[in-house]
Amino acid sequence: MNPAKISEALNRIYSDKKSKARIVFWNDDGGEFKDTLPELDLGDVSVIHVDDTPTLEIKIKLELEDLTGKYLLYSTRPQVSPEDDWLLSLRLHSKPFYADLASMSLQELGLNEAALREHMKERLPFLKSRNRLDALKKLIEPNDNELALDIKMIAVLAGTGQAELFDILLKIFSEDSFLKELNDEHSSIYKDICKFKLESSFWRLINDKFSYPKDKPKLKDILINLFVTDFVDSIKTSTPASLSHFLIENKTSRNNATVFLSLWRNSVAHYSSYDKIATLLADELYVSKTIDNLEQNAISGCMTFESVEKRLLTLIRDDLAQGVFIKPDELRKLIRKRREGHWANPSFKSNHDNENIYSVGYEALE
């Protein structure tokens, strides 16, 4: 650690108007930075070498003679226990300082380094990048705990600009490399999450949001749970037996799944990845076969899979061709609802290049 960085970190502590610290204790265990000390640029801060100065002299100086001056109390020894600390009265009204990367990063982020220091030591590979640290600094809040820090690091890796799980997942699920096989190993973002040892926090967040506590979690597994839950909750019939074991049970988590998929398929930036994944999962889950015997009223509110749109168009076409009595106003209402949805929305091309064929189909039927 170069002297300029240490000087900058120390001066930041002394200039912090909230903490109003005038005394800083630096227990440099082993004296790693002893030779660096004379090179520090600390302005009007006086350095006291605790190891070479009588304790009583220090207490008289700082508690009686000078109540306003700024001091750095430096020692090459580890901090002693409170019951053996003759400078405890001073230490209780001071700030600690450490020159290791984890502590320096916490100080730069404006966080409580004493409480989070050990956690940040496990995140050293992440902290070594200046760009990552600068991006993280923009997301930090003063009261962030370990989990909050981790999700913000994940947000930096995903490049979302905000620490929201939905945004992070959209970034991961929209990666071209991931979309090929829905394989964790093909996601560069998820590989970085694992590389920087953030995967346990990532899956904890997913569990909190979607009730997904699996021992060996997979991105494809959670996708299946999300899509099946949204599908089952939007059709008016009993849960298909072939899909029941994929269903999210917790009510709040089910709602979260529905909200997430709705945001995803209606996102101008990410809807194409939704289409690709929905198509892959529909084939794997035999959705077309599942809905083959369902009638119009059972699927008219479902937007999850493209095959539902095909089935609905076919049912309406057959009813019209066979002269089944249909109320025009009700049909127009249904068509308007579908065209304002996802698969038949004229604003989305879906899986087709030039125009939305489902929107054209509904227009023809109307």
Side-chain angles (χ1 to χ4, degrees):
M1 190 69 64
N2 63 59
K5 288 291 184 183
I6 296 175
S7 299
E8 181 184 348
L10 282 166
N11 286 320
R12 192 182 300 115
I13 295 175
Y14 288 113
S15 62
D16 187 347
K17 295 181 180 180
K18 290 184 179 180
S19 65
K20 298 180 180 180
R22 74 179 190 92
I23 300 174
V24 174
F25 276 82
W26 183 3
N27 284 88
D28 178 23
D29 189 7
E32 179 182 355
F33 298 96
K34 185 176 182 179
D35 294 337
T36 305
L37 202 61
E39 302 177 38
L40 301 184
D41 181 10
L42 301 178
D44 59 350
V45 176
S46 300
V47 177
I48 296 178
H49 292 265
V50 175
D51 303 340
D52 304 325
T53 309
T55 302
L56 184 59
E57 181 181 328
I58 297 174
K59 290 175 68 67
I60 291 173
K61 177 70 174 177
L62 274 59
E63 293 183 339
L64 296 176
E65 295 179 353
D66 188 355
L67 302 179
T68 59
K70 297 178 181 178
Y71 290 88
L72 173 63
L73 274 63
Y74 175 85
S75 172
T76 59
R77 300 168 184 167
Q79 183 177 331
V80 298
S81 59
E83 57 268 24
D84 297 324
D85 190 356
W86 291 95
L87 296 175
L88 183 61
S89 59
L90 287 171
R91 199 181 295 274
L92 292 174
H93 298 90
S94 68
K95 294 283 288 184
F97 177 76
Y98 304 93
D100 60 276
L101 178 58
S103 299
M104 295 278 283
S105 299
L106 282 168
Q107 290 159 6
E108 183 173 346
L109 295 171
L111 295 171
N112 183 347
E113 62 271 17
L116 297 169
R117 190 176 175 219
E118 291 304 315
H119 180 74
M120 291 299 271
K121 282 183 178 180
E122 299 176 1
R123 304 290 180 259
L124 288 180
F126 180 95
L127 300 173
K128 287 180 180 179
S129 165
R130 183 72 250 177
N131 289 337
R132 287 194 294 267
L133 190 60
D134 287 342
L136 180 62
K137 190 187 298 186
K138 296 176 182 178
L139 302 176
I140 290 298
E141 297 291 338
N143 296 321
D144 281 343
N145 57 19
E146 289 90 340
L147 184 61
L149 271 172
D150 281 358
I151 189 175
K152 289 175 181 181
M153 291 182 191
I154 293 170
V156 170
L157 297 176
T160 60
Q162 53 186 352
E164 296 292 338
L165 179 60
F166 284 4
D167 294 314
I168 293 168
L169 290 177
L170 286 179
K171 280 283 192 175
I172 292 174
F173 295 153
S174 297
E175 287 186 282
D176 289 339
S177 55
F178 175 74
L179 288 171
K180 293 178 181 179
E181 297 181 21
L182 308 187
N183 191 315
D184 293 13
E185 296 178 357
H186 293 166
S187 166
S188 61
I189 296 173
Y190 185 68
K191 283 195 292 186
D192 279 345
I193 289 172
C194 296
K195 174 183 176 181
F196 295 111
K197 299 180 180 180
L198 295 164
E199 67 270 27
S200 61
S201 293
F202 174 74
W203 289 111
R204 178 180 169 184
L205 291 164
I206 290 181
N207 182 33
D208 290 345
K209 185 68 71 173
F210 301 120
S211 299
Y212 182 77
K214 293 195 175 182
D215 294 333
K216 296 181 180 180
K218 296 290 183 182
L219 293 172
K220 183 178 179 181
D221 286 348
I222 187 60
L223 279 169
I224 292 174
N225 288 170
L226 294 173
F227 274 81
V228 167
T229 299
D230 184 63
F231 172 68
V232 168
D233 283 355
S234 61
I235 59 175
K236 297 177 181 177
T237 185
S238 57
T239 302
S242 61
L243 302 177
S244 59
H245 58 293
F246 296 122
L247 197 62
I248 295 173
E249 297 294 340
N250 179 272
K251 184 177 180 181
T252 301
S253 297
R254 289 169 79 120
N255 290 336
N256 290 337
T258 297
V259 170
F260 173 62
L261 290 196
S262 178
L263 289 172
W264 186 2
R265 61 177 166 255
N266 289 303
S267 166
V268 174
H270 298 291
Y271 79 87
S272 61
S273 63
Y274 178 95
D275 292 355
K276 292 176 183 177
I277 291 176
T279 300
L280 289 171
L281 295 184
D283 290 342
E284 187 169 321
L285 297 169
Y286 301 103
V287 171
S288 294
K289 183 177 180 181
T290 301
I291 64 173
D292 193 44
N293 295 319
L294 297 182
E295 297 301 322
Q296 177 182 315
N297 67 326
I299 61 174
S300 61
C302 179
M303 297 285 177
T304 313
F305 295 109
E306 183 177 8
S307 49
V308 172
E309 211 69 67
K310 293 179 180 178
R311 171 69 178 162
L312 199 54
L313 276 162
T314 300
L315 289 171
I316 296 173
R317 179 204 64 191
D318 291 349
D319 283 351
L320 289 172
Q322 295 169 14
V324 174
F325 179 72
I326 297 176
K327 295 181 179 179
D329 289 343
E330 290 184 2
L331 179 57
R332 289 191 183 96
K333 184 178 179 180
L334 173 60
I335 290 174
R336 184 165 58 250
K337 176 183 176 182
R338 299 306 300 185
R339 295 183 76 192
E340 289 174 352
H342 174 66
W343 297 104
N345 192 320
S347 300
F348 299 133
K349 299 292 193 300
S350 294
N351 293 323
H352 310 281
D353 295 330
N354 299 318
E355 59 185 351
N356 189 304
I357 60 172
Y358 301 116
S359 179
V360 174
Y362 280 121
E363 185 177 2
L365 291 175
E366 188 175 15

